[in-house]
Amino acid sequence: PLKQLIVVTPTYNRAFQAYFLNRLGQVLRLVKPPLVWIVVEEKTVSLETAEILRKTGVMYRHVVSTHNSSNVKDRGVRQRNAALDHIERQKLDGIVFFADDDNVYTIELFESLRTISRFGTWPVAMLERSKNKAILEGPVCNASQVIGWNTNEKSKRLRRFHVDMSGFAFNSTILWDPKRWGYPFSNPIRQLDMVKEGFQETTFIAQVVEDESQMEGIPPGCSRIVNWHLHLDTGNLVYPKGWQLQKNLEVT
Ligand code: UDP
């Protein structure tokens, strides 16, 4: 049988949410099952999101992050942690992948996730629209061995691992591996709230693996781009005068 894929997507109501979730949902629909899509919102489950999920035809769980929320914008950190809680509680067995709603993914990517035994990583292409610049972030590989990292952002040189949030995936059994954590878990693997911008991924990965020798570069050679991080900032759209925007591009 094929390995289960556990796709975790934090999301929130804003103008382009319907576009993003439909686009991702339609790709997931084309991936061979078993696949479960864990979509996480903050505080409450919204009708807009529920409606879209129902129509995608993908097996999903609609989860709410109830962690105390501060005013700090954390870009999905608490929501991903709520998904990890869910996976751990329900002992969902599979490959966990953090798929942010605004990125673009190939079916090939989801199929190659199934080749991961412990922790897999691959390069992600990014478009920095504000700087009009395309960059590549992720591993340099010799077959499936990770031998170095691509990055060209000066501000992030100090990171241990140069990986995008949607540039790695891991086996859920790591979350409850008694050899690694002892039992009961005194030190659950989670994303950290107070980490400097751009360091979220590397601090998370450092909890999951010791070093590059425990990583698998996929697809072998890591020379293909299988997803894109566009940084489409659609938070501050300007609408025609007189339009009033409801949550999800419903205009009155
Ligand atoms: N996100 C969220 N609530 C927020 C901000 C972001 O749920 O207040 C989600 C967003 O939908 C996306 C992920 O977190 O799935 C990453 O957010 P964003 O794309 O803004 O971060 P960036 O790609 O710029 O790092």
Side-chain angles (χ1 to χ4, degrees), residues 60-202:
Y60 67 89
R61 300 190 183 191
H62 193 174
V63 172
V64 174
S65 142
T66 50
H67 292 261
N68 280 345
S69 79
S70 60
N71 287 327
V72 184
K73 278 258 164 226
D74 74 8
R75 289 176 153 173
V77 168
R78 279 185 298 256
Q79 285 144 281
R80 290 189 205 91
N81 284 342
L84 293 173
D85 287 344
H86 182 88
I87 293 164
E88 225 177 81
R89 245 192 342 264
Q90 311 259 327
K91 285 273 187 297
L92 296 183
D93 189 10
I95 300 295
V96 182
F97 172 49
F98 297 126
D100 285 348
D101 63 1
D102 54 337
N103 296 339
V104 176
Y105 307 90
T106 57
I107 300 170
E108 182 187 356
L109 163 65
F110 292 97
E111 301 297 357
S112 31
L113 295 183
R114 296 205 154 104
T115 65
I116 295 172
S117 57
R118 184 185 164 83
F119 178 98
T121 182
W122 58 91
V124 176
M126 303 193 191
L127 183 67
E128 290 286 354
R129 208 173 45 156
S130 55
K131 298 180 202 140
N132 224 357
K133 198 168 74 167
I135 57 174
L136 201 63
E137 195 168 86
V140 178
C141 306
N142 181 2
S144 60
Q145 195 190 358
V146 175
I147 54 173
W149 301 99
N150 283 304
T151 189
N152 54 15
E153 284 197 273
K154 283 198 194 91
S155 59
K156 296 181 180 172
R157 285 239 172 95
L158 295 171
R159 289 180 303 177
R160 174 70 180 83
F161 305 116
H162 296 273
V163 182
D164 184 69
M165 190 59 81
S166 296
F168 68 95
F170 58 96
N171 200 315
S172 64
T173 53
I174 293 177
L175 296 174
W176 50 81
D177 180 0
K179 271 190 233 125
R180 188 165 168 82
W181 301 113
Y183 191 86
F185 319 109
S186 50
N187 187 11
I189 299 172
R190 290 294 177 269
Q191 300 201 345
L192 307 178
D193 246 342
M194 302 315 282
V195 172
K196 206 170 116 197
E197 162 116 41
F199 284 71
Q200 194 58 246
E201 294 89 341
T202 186

Side-chain angles (χ1 to χ4, degrees), residues 14-38:
R14 74 259 202 225
F16 273 32
Q17 185 194 26
Y19 163 65
F20 291 144
L21 285 183
N22 275 299
R23 189 177 62 182
L24 177 51
Q26 284 168 17
V27 175
L28 296 181
R29 176 87 191 255
L30 296 172
V31 178
K32 289 194 199 84
L35 179 150
V36 57
W37 189 16
I38 304 184

